[in-house]
Amino acid sequence: MTIDDARAAIRVLIADDQPLLRHSLALLVGAAPDLAIAGEAATGSEAVSLARDLRPDVILMDIRMPGGDGIEATRTIAADATLSGCRVLVLSMFELDEYVYGALRAGASGFLLKDARPDQLLDAIRRTHAGESMFAPTILTRLIEHYVSRPAASPRGLDILTKREAEVLTLVARGLSNDDIAATLTISIKTVKTHIGNLLAKLHARDRAQLVIAAYEHGLIAPA
C-alpha cells in the first residue's frame, strides 16, 4: 500500500476484550486493500480514548467489555461533536433485544453478529463508512417485531416530509442500499443521497440507523 492509498483507506478501530479475536479481526481488515487498522482497544474506556486520539472512520465495537461496556462507549462517542465523522458498528456474540436497542439508541450505525462471514463484515465496514446502516438479518427481524408489536406513534412528526422523502425513508427502513433505492424509485444515486441528507436534517437523526428507528416508531413499516 502506498502512502496515498493509506491516507485514502477507511481507518478502523477494533474494540474487543479478547486478544485472539482482536488479532484475527486486525488480520482480516488489514488484508483488505481499501481498509487500514487505526488501533486496538481492550475496554470501553480505552475505545473512547483511542477514538479521540486516532479519529478512526469506523469502530468495530464489542458490547461486553470491562472498563465500561460497548454501549456506554458508543453513547460517549456519539455524543462527542469532535467525533461526528466516526461511525460505530457493533459486533457481538449476542442478539439479545436489550443489546440491540441499547446499541442503536446509543448511536451505533449497525449491529452484526460475530458469526458473520468475513466478506459480510468487510462489506459492513464499507457501507457503514459510506453512511449506510448495516444489520444482521436476524437483528433486522427483531427490530421489525419489536416496533410492529406496539401501537404506532403519531405520524405528526413526519408531516414535514415530502411524499418522495417518506418513500425513501420507508426503503431505508427495509434495509435497501442507496443503489437499491435508486433502482426502485428510478432516480439517480445523487438524488437518493440528497433525500437522505434532507431526512437526516428534518428528523434530527445522526445517521441512517436512527432513520430506521424513526420509520418504525412512526408506523411507516407495517407487519407483512
Side-chain angles (χ1 to χ4, degrees):
M1 181 181 294
T2 66
I3 294 178
D4 288 339
D5 289 338
R7 290 172 178 169
I10 300 170
R11 301 175 66 250
V12 180
L13 172 65
I14 299 172
D16 196 291
D17 63 336
Q18 299 180 33
L20 181 59
L21 182 56
R22 284 202 313 273
H23 180 68
S24 298
L25 289 172
L27 289 176
L28 174 65
V29 172
D34 57 335
L35 307 179
I37 295 298
E40 299 180 24
T43 68
S45 58
E46 188 178 2
V48 173
S49 178
L50 287 179
R52 288 170 172 160
D53 289 342
L54 303 175
R55 305 296 173 91
D57 299 305
V58 176
I59 301 176
L60 290 182
M61 183 77 76
D62 188 22
I63 288 183
R64 288 185 170 181
M65 291 185 293
D69 65 19
I71 292 178
E72 184 58 37
T74 297
R75 183 178 294 108
T76 301
I77 291 168
D80 191 332
T82 66
L83 298 177
S84 60
C86 179
R87 296 287 179 260
V88 175
L89 176 61
V90 171
L91 192 61
S92 175
M93 291 179 61
F94 309 97
E95 56 181 41
L96 298 178
D97 290 351
E98 60 266 29
Y99 288 168
V100 177
Y101 310 134
L104 296 181
R105 291 292 185 191
S109 296
F111 196 115
L112 284 185
L113 299 177
K114 289 182 179 178
D115 62 359
R117 299 193 314 270
D119 61 305
Q120 290 176 322
L121 175 59
L122 296 179
D123 180 60
I125 293 172
R126 296 178 181 112
R127 290 180 61 176
T128 299
H129 178 250
E132 298 186 24
S133 53
M134 193 72 191
F135 303 97
T138 55
I139 298 302
L140 190 56
T141 298
R142 282 176 178 270
L143 278 174
I144 295 172
E145 290 175 346
H146 173 73
Y147 285 109
V148 302
S149 66
R150 2 182 303 190
S154 168
R156 290 174 55 194
L158 300 184
D159 58 9
I160 59 175
L161 304 183
T162 66
K163 179 181 179 181
R164 179 62 89 189
E165 287 169 350
E167 290 174 339
V168 171
L169 179 58
T170 300
L171 295 178
V172 167
R174 289 177 178 165
L176 273 66
S177 67
N178 288 353
D179 289 338
D180 294 333
I181 294 173
T184 299
L185 299 179
T186 320
I187 57 179
S188 69
I189 294 292
K190 182 178 180 181
T191 300
V192 172
K193 291 181 178 179
T194 297
H195 286 313
I196 290 177
N198 291 339
L199 288 168
L200 292 171
K202 289 183 176 182
L203 298 178
H204 305 288
R206 181 176 187 267
D207 58 22
R208 204 178 181 105
Q210 292 187 352
L211 292 182
V212 172
I213 292 176
Y216 287 137
E217 286 184 330
H218 289 86
L220 282 183
I221 300 297

